[in-house]
Amino acid sequence: MEAEGFVFAGAADRFPTLGYSIAEADDDHNLPDCRPSPYNMAMEVTQILLEAQSVDGSVRKRAEENLRQFQEQNLPGFLLSLSGELANNDKPVDSRKLAGLILKNALDAKEQHRKNELTQRWLSLDVAVKASIKGCLLQTLSSPVPDARSTASQVIAKIASIELPHNQWPELISSLLSNTHQLKPHVKQATLETLGYICEEVSPDVVDQVEVNNILTAVVQGMNASEGNSDVRLAATRALYNALGFAQENFTNDMERDYIMRVVCEATLSPDLKIRQAAFECLVAISSTYYEKLAAYMQDIFSITAKAVREDEEPVALQAIEFWSSICDEEIEILDEYGTDFSADSEVPCFYFIKQALPALVPMLLETLLKQEEDQDQDEGAWNIAMAGGTCLGLVARTVGDDIVPLVMPFIQENITKPDWRQREAATYAFGSILEGPSPDKLTPIVNVALNFMLNALVSDPNNHVKDTTAWTLGRIFEFLHGSIVETPIITQENCQHILTVLLQSMKDVPNVAEKACGALFFLAQGYEDVGSSSPLSPFFPEIIPALLTVTHREDAGESRLRTAAYETLNEVVRCSSDETAPTVMQLVPLIMAELLRTLEMQKLSLEEREKQNELQGLLCGCLQVIIQKLGAAEPAKYVFMQYVDQIMDLFLRVFASRNATVHEEAMLAIGALAYATGSNFAKYMQGFYPYLEMGLQNFEEYQVCATTVGVVGDLCRALEEKILPFCDGIMTQLLKDLSSNQLHRSVKPPIFSCFGDIALAIGENFEKYLIYAMPMLQSAAELSVHVAAADDEMIEYTNQLRNGILEAYSGIFQGFKSSPKTQLLMPYAPHILQFLDSLYRKKDMDEAVMKTAIGVLGDLADTLGSNAGALINQAVSSKDFLEECLSSDDPLIKESAEWAKLAIARAISV
């Protein structure tokens, strides 16, 4: 192969050795000085690092304080000390490991703002200090101590993630690659591990293709069966997993791709379990990253995965099943996006791998269902071959639809009545797994035959596992084959009572069965969501509600998520109930209030009890929210409900006294519902509630609480309208602070912009005093949202959310000022807003929600500013081409907005 591709043969001769290399670690020349320096002689760091791990709390605390002071007073010395400690083979393993961990934490953090701070701090360090630290880390890779090597690998990768994007440490990769020819296996292993971590940390675009080729060459050579050391081979296989994102170009080259695939497939047959598992993990990653390149290998991969699923140990078998689940995910996504309409411009064609493999794949998966474990339900996080097989079977059903049914039915019929519980459970699991995907026409006749059998099994099967899976399968039947979307109902007046009797009886069973029975009732209720004034469940309401409340009070309701499931089902039953059951729902109000009061009055709780109390308070607030929404929307019931509002509000304010994020979020949502239900009457609660509203808006750490609170401000604006004015200074100040903060999670910012619109709409021209603060922020955010490079789907989605929030703000502001003598205050901002709309139109990357809001803003601008802005509107691209595009949209909402905008523009221009 050419030099610019892979370097397979004679690679040792071609690797340049730049900078410091571990190959030289045993010589006395060219070594970084990792002995105690003037910096790290400032204190005996080894002793302090050991004391920081002491079982004695006071010793540990004193040591942590010493480390903190050392870091604050002399950061370069502190980092040099740590790197020297990590590199020193005479030091204890425990102090070296902690030194490396602290070093890593000095370079990286989960919170983006903190990560940015640490990055800047490292970049601003003296070059000589950084060089010395990096030298020590590279030297550590040759340490005989595995923990020290592994820690150093991770720290090197963190530094690489900071420096490589800034074109610093350019010699790092070649320096590491030169060490892969070391005869010492432990040095090779550590170097490959480091390369893997670097590929995990660094974006592919900061490493040039020649270096990518060299990394892949080194990694694939390390994976080769000829590599005698299994530690080296494992490190190489794990490194390839992280390096796959870098291999885009190599995977387009048939020869290089063939070589990678051959080496990966060979590694799946290694005698070492961990290597086999890591190789299958690579195959799973390849299936999602390079789906379109797999056709030539699928026959071999099927043989390899089938052998692993049937014969290998569980960790390997699970990854082999995961490969097929991943292929399903890819094909489901392609089919969802393109349907069967593949044309030359389809980005990725569907190769129908699953359809082709179906006759062999389905029997293999059905076999896995018979490999259940006796205690598989006891551990909530349990995952085994049977569960993985069932999950994959479900994905196969979604991928191929009706074609799966004839392949699975014989297995179900053969096993469903067998004396061995494993066979009955596997048959039931198979049936439940294929209920999403095939058409209702195909499944309904089978379900009609099976329903009675399953209801009887849920009550009378002697085995707990069979009952558990049966209840889950009933839930799936009600989720996918019941409701307004299904033409032939499987639940009729005749069998409804029997179904409910069985489900309510099963709620008294052991927790895991009762939890699944609650889930089945959840989907049963949800199927009647659209039936209108009278629901088939209504006559059974007086039985259903007490049965669910009884479950919440069970001694063992804490097991298998049972209490949570019962409340979620109660909420769904209430949410989907019809008006005729409002009196029964009304009876719930004092009961749930009493429950919430009881949790507030519990005294002197242990930590575990407090956690349970918080969880229960969150569930009760969530339940009250649903009840408020239901009764607030039903006129006769609403009048009766209003007598409880004072007490409910008092309870919510008491809930805020507890410092728990989940409870705060649920209570906030419930208050939003209460404000909506009570309208302008909510004003009397604002004085007492405002401090908690402000507290929610200031909650940067638990950003979901902040986001929920922003949403509640919108609810309050709609409920109170001008009555919210006395609180607007405080609210706007806090919202502006939130937007200026780099600590607040970015997901909260779009709703804050949208909230500006809600406030302006509520207070009209009184928004005048906030314009000078809000408009520049909207303007800079708008510019950012147009020029941001959308690197991935997540970023594209966020950018559209941001644009939508900005546009909703503009829309609310224009509508708020409409018919006011102060509309001219908005004129200076009109050119920029029109320019923003033009830019969005030219970018061609709006989603439909943004499109609808954007054309609405054009209409609002024309409607509010009228002839004052006529000339500007006339010049805007968006008012012609964009408007035309929206008018011919298939989306009725976009079309409706565009027609309204067209009228408003015509009025503005004609005057």
Side-chain angles (χ1 to χ4, degrees):
M1 276 198 222
E2 295 303 316
E4 60 263 28
F6 255 131
V7 192
F8 289 132
D13 306 326
R14 302 205 209 159
F15 282 120
T17 307
L18 299 177
Y20 168 70
S21 123
I22 305 164
E24 302 152 354
D26 293 333
D27 304 330
D28 290 331
H29 58 282
N30 262 349
L31 276 178
D33 188 3
C34 294
R35 293 164 301 200
S37 67
Y39 286 115
N40 57 22
M41 286 178 72
M43 60 196 305
E44 183 44 62
V45 83
T46 307
Q47 191 58 37
I48 293 173
L49 287 166
L50 292 172
E51 286 173 358
Q53 300 169 73
S54 167
V55 289
D56 183 330
S58 59
V59 171
R60 196 170 63 245
K61 203 168 180 183
R62 188 170 64 245
E64 287 168 356
E65 181 56 30
N66 282 334
L67 286 168
R68 191 183 62 74
Q69 283 182 8
F70 186 13
Q71 181 173 2
E72 286 175 2
Q73 289 164 14
N74 182 359
L75 180 67
F78 179 68
L79 298 177
L80 281 163
S81 290
L82 294 174
S83 60
E85 186 77 16
L86 180 58
N88 190 335
N89 287 327
D90 298 331
K91 296 291 185 179
V93 176
D94 285 347
S95 69
R96 294 176 76 184
K97 270 172 72 177
L98 184 58
L101 182 65
I102 295 171
L103 203 49
K104 191 171 84 166
N105 290 341
L107 297 162
D108 194 22
K110 281 182 183 169
E111 300 83 16
Q112 192 58 47
H113 71 96
R114 179 71 182 140
K115 188 184 176 91
N116 296 342
E117 283 170 16
L118 295 175
T119 296
Q120 288 310 314
R121 190 175 78 171
W122 172 264
L123 289 170
S124 61
L125 280 175
D126 181 75
V127 175
V129 171
K130 287 189 286 191
S132 184
I133 291 168
K134 291 185 288 194
C136 288
L137 290 167
L138 289 169
Q139 184 185 328
T140 309
L141 296 184
S142 64
S143 169
V145 179
D147 281 338
R149 295 198 303 271
S150 185
T151 307
S153 292
Q154 293 172 55
V155 181
I156 289 168
K158 292 294 181 193
I159 295 174
S161 73
I162 294 172
E163 295 205 348
L164 294 183
H166 289 87
N167 298 316
Q168 296 179 15
W169 211 0
E171 72 279 12
L172 169 64
I173 304 287
S174 51
S175 174
L176 287 168
L177 288 168
S178 65
N179 300 319
T180 57
H181 315 304
Q182 270 280 307
L183 296 174
K184 293 180 178 174
H186 74 273
V187 180
K188 232 173 172 175
Q189 178 271 333
T191 305
L192 287 164
E193 188 177 344
T194 308
L195 286 167
Y197 283 135
I198 289 170
C199 290
E200 187 179 21
E201 291 285 342
V202 172
S203 169
D205 56 15
V206 301
V207 182
D208 71 45
Q209 190 58 41
V210 174
E211 288 199 323
V212 168
N213 294 338
N214 290 338
I215 290 169
L216 287 168
T217 301
V219 166
V220 175
Q221 282 179 340
M223 285 177 71
N224 223 311
S226 60
E227 172 55 64
N229 184 287
S230 58
D231 287 343
V232 171
R233 209 172 165 202
L234 178 61
T237 310
R238 287 177 173 165
L240 179 66
Y241 177 86
N242 289 326
L244 283 168
F246 287 68
Q248 299 281 354
E249 200 168 302
N250 311 90
F251 261 78
T252 59
N253 178 314
D254 294 355
M255 213 164 134
E256 296 185 12
R257 184 177 67 248
D258 286 349
Y259 188 73
I260 294 172
M261 292 302 291
R262 179 165 68 74
V263 171
V264 172
C265 290
E266 278 173 6
T268 66
L269 306 172
S270 161
D272 186 296
L273 168 72
K274 285 182 176 173
I275 293 173
R276 294 199 303 280
Q277 183 183 350
F280 272 111
E281 285 170 0
C282 286
L283 271 184
V284 173
I286 289 167
S287 70
S288 58
T289 314
Y290 301 109
Y291 166 85
E292 71 280 9
K293 303 289 184 191
L294 284 178
Y297 315 104
M298 288 307 278
Q299 199 65 51
D300 290 338
I301 292 174
F302 185 84
S303 305
I304 293 166
T305 51
K307 185 175 164 55
V309 170
R310 291 190 169 112
E311 298 171 22
D312 212 327
E313 293 178 61
E314 186 171 89
V316 179
L318 287 172
Q319 286 304 319
I321 295 169
E322 184 61 30
F323 172 83
W324 291 102
S325 292
S326 178
I327 293 287
C328 288
D329 286 335
E330 290 304 307
E331 297 199 343
I332 289 166
E333 192 176 333
I334 294 167
L335 294 167
D336 278 354
E337 192 163 342
Y338 298 112
T340 49
D341 176 28
F342 294 116
S343 55
D345 62 346
S346 298
E347 258 179 62
V348 180
C350 185
F351 289 103
Y352 297 101
F353 293 138
I354 298 297
K355 204 166 194 167
Q356 291 167 40
L358 214 52
L361 180 61
V362 170
M364 177 185 86
L365 294 172
L366 291 171
E367 281 173 41
T368 66
L369 304 189
L370 293 159
K371 297 182 180 179
Q372 309 96 321
E373 294 168 8
E374 284 285 354
D375 60 347
Q376 62 185 30
D377 297 315
Q378 308 314 312
D379 176 15
E380 211 176 293
W383 188 245
N384 56 39
I385 290 179
M387 292 171 173
T391 301
C392 188
L393 191 65
L395 288 166
V396 170
R398 286 177 56 199
T399 311
V400 302
D402 289 359
D403 292 354
I404 199 169
V405 178
L407 292 169
V408 175
M409 285 315 296
F411 176 85
I412 296 170
Q413 286 154 352
E414 186 189 332
N415 289 288
I416 197 80
T417 55
K418 285 283 169 73
D420 181 350
W421 73 266
R422 289 175 187 279
Q423 290 173 282
R424 297 196 306 280
E425 196 272 341
T428 312
Y429 191 19
F431 188 43
S433 296
I434 64 164
L435 290 168
E436 184 185 9
S439 63
D441 291 349
K442 187 82 174 173
L443 290 172
T444 303
I446 304 167
V447 168
N448 281 328
V449 173
L451 193 59
N452 250 353
F453 179 89
M454 304 202 78
L455 291 166
N456 292 335
L458 183 52
V459 176
S460 57
D461 197 285
N463 184 275
N464 184 18
H465 293 310
V466 177
K467 285 201 222 176
D468 180 291
T469 305
T470 303
W472 171 78
T473 301
L474 283 167
R476 302 261 299 171
I477 289 171
F478 301 149
E479 182 178 3
F480 299 116
L481 296 167
H482 156 59
S484 55
I485 47 161
V486 183
E487 282 180 31
T488 316
I490 51 164
I491 297 166
T492 60
Q493 291 291 6
E494 291 72 44
N495 65 13
C496 189
Q497 173 136 27
H498 182 209
I499 291 168
L500 275 167
T501 304
V502 169
L503 293 181
L504 297 185
Q505 187 178 333
S506 298
M507 285 181 205
K508 298 172 186 168
D509 210 320
V510 292
N512 58 305
V513 175
E515 186 262 336
K516 305 286 193 310
C518 286
L521 179 55
F522 178 102
F523 290 116
L524 182 64
Q526 194 175 73
Y528 291 123
E529 184 177 3
D530 304 323
V531 293
S533 60
S534 181
S535 160
L537 289 189
S538 297
F540 307 105
F541 233 66
E543 294 168 62
I544 294 170
I545 301 288
L548 285 165
L549 289 172
T550 303
V551 174
T552 67
H553 292 127
R554 277 175 56 156
E555 289 274 312
D556 54 4
E559 295 172 35
S560 296
R561 277 191 78 255
L562 179 54
R563 181 178 287 109
T564 303
Y567 274 114
E568 284 172 354
T569 304
L570 179 63
N571 293 351
E572 197 63 8
V573 167
V574 168
R575 196 177 71 78
C576 300
S577 63
S578 55
D579 291 349
E580 63 193 321
T581 54
T584 314
V585 175
M586 190 68 74
Q587 289 168 19
L588 263 177
V589 179
L591 293 176
I592 302 295
M593 283 167 59
E595 286 282 303
L596 186 53
L597 181 62
R598 193 175 58 77
T599 67
L600 291 166
E601 288 176 344
M602 289 159 74
Q603 297 294 319
K604 295 183 180 153
L605 301 176
S606 67
L607 191 63
E608 190 184 344
E609 286 169 333
R610 179 161 283 113
E611 276 178 20
K612 285 180 182 171
Q613 177 204 36
N614 286 333
E615 186 188 359
L616 182 54
Q617 284 177 352
L619 291 168
L620 292 164
C621 287
C623 187
L624 279 171
Q625 182 201 346
V626 175
I627 293 169
I628 291 163
Q629 285 169 331
K630 194 74 200 173
L631 296 176
E635 272 316 314
K638 182 175 178 177
Y639 180 75
V640 182
F641 168 70
M642 286 303 157
Q643 67 186 353
Y644 292 109
V645 173
D646 286 358
Q647 293 162 271
I648 291 174
M649 195 63 200
D650 184 52
L651 283 171
F652 288 152
L653 295 181
R654 288 181 64 181
V655 164
F656 282 118
S658 81
R659 303 287 302 161
N660 180 276
T662 310
V663 184
H664 279 208
E665 199 177 341
E666 292 293 345
M668 269 295 168
L669 287 166
I671 282 176
L674 197 65
Y676 187 80
T678 52
S680 61
N681 291 332
F682 192 84
K684 66 175 178 176
Y685 306 116
M686 278 301 292
Q687 209 62 49
F689 171 55
Y690 181 74
Y692 300 110
L693 186 76
E694 197 167 62
M695 197 165 76
L697 293 175
Q698 289 165 354
N699 196 340
F700 289 173
E701 289 75 33
E702 290 137 355
Y703 67 88
Q704 293 91 339
V705 176
C706 188
T708 303
T709 311
V710 171
V712 169
V713 171
D715 293 333
L716 292 170
C717 289
R718 285 181 284 281
L720 297 175
E721 296 180 329
E722 281 210 334
K723 288 186 179 177
I724 199 164
L725 191 55
F727 304 95
C728 283
D729 282 1
I731 291 169
M732 281 299 293
T733 302
Q734 197 50 55
L735 291 177
L736 291 163
K737 266 189 200 164
D738 286 357
L739 286 173
S740 307
S741 165
N742 62 355
Q743 291 178 24
L744 184 61
H745 195 274
R746 70 179 191 188
S747 65
V748 190
K749 298 195 174 182
I752 290 177
F753 284 127
S754 183
C755 194
F756 284 176
D758 294 329
I759 293 169
L761 208 50
I763 63 173
E765 64 179 34
N766 292 306
F767 196 79
E768 174 192 348
K769 63 174 167 178
Y770 308 125
L771 283 175
I772 56 165
Y773 307 107
M775 286 310 219
M777 278 206 166
L778 285 164
Q779 193 164 328
S780 56
E783 281 167 13
L784 178 74
S785 82
V786 171
H787 296 123
V788 71
D792 52 33
D793 289 350
E794 196 183 321
M795 194 62 198
I796 291 167
E797 188 184 349
Y798 174 72
T799 303
N800 275 314
Q801 287 170 353
L802 185 62
R803 291 167 177 174
N804 209 45
I806 294 161
L807 290 164
E808 284 178 344
Y810 285 143
S811 181
I813 290 167
F814 280 126
Q815 288 179 48
F817 275 82
K818 190 177 185 279
S819 309
S820 155
K822 295 183 176 177
T823 49
Q824 78 279 3
L825 293 171
L826 301 180
M827 269 304 292
Y829 307 108
H832 176 267
I833 293 168
L834 288 166
Q835 192 186 329
F836 176 44
L837 294 174
D838 286 355
S839 304
L840 286 180
Y841 171 64
R842 289 195 185 99
K843 281 279 282 192
K844 299 290 181 205
D845 59 353
M846 280 182 280
D847 63 17
E848 288 180 335
V850 174
M851 206 166 176
K852 177 188 168 296
T853 323
I855 204 66
V857 167
L858 184 65
D860 289 328
L861 186 147
D863 192 39
T864 300
L865 299 180
S867 57
N868 291 331
L872 287 171
I873 295 166
N874 223 349
Q875 292 158 19
V877 179
S878 50
S879 67
K880 300 178 191 71
D881 302 353
F882 182 31
L883 183 64
E884 281 307 313
E885 190 177 309
C886 292
L887 285 167
S888 56
S889 169
D890 295 335
D891 185 318
L893 294 173
I894 292 175
K895 203 167 181 173
E896 191 185 330
S897 278
E899 282 165 354
W900 177 80
K902 186 181 178 183
L903 283 173
I905 290 167
R907 280 199 303 270
I909 292 171
S910 66
V911 176

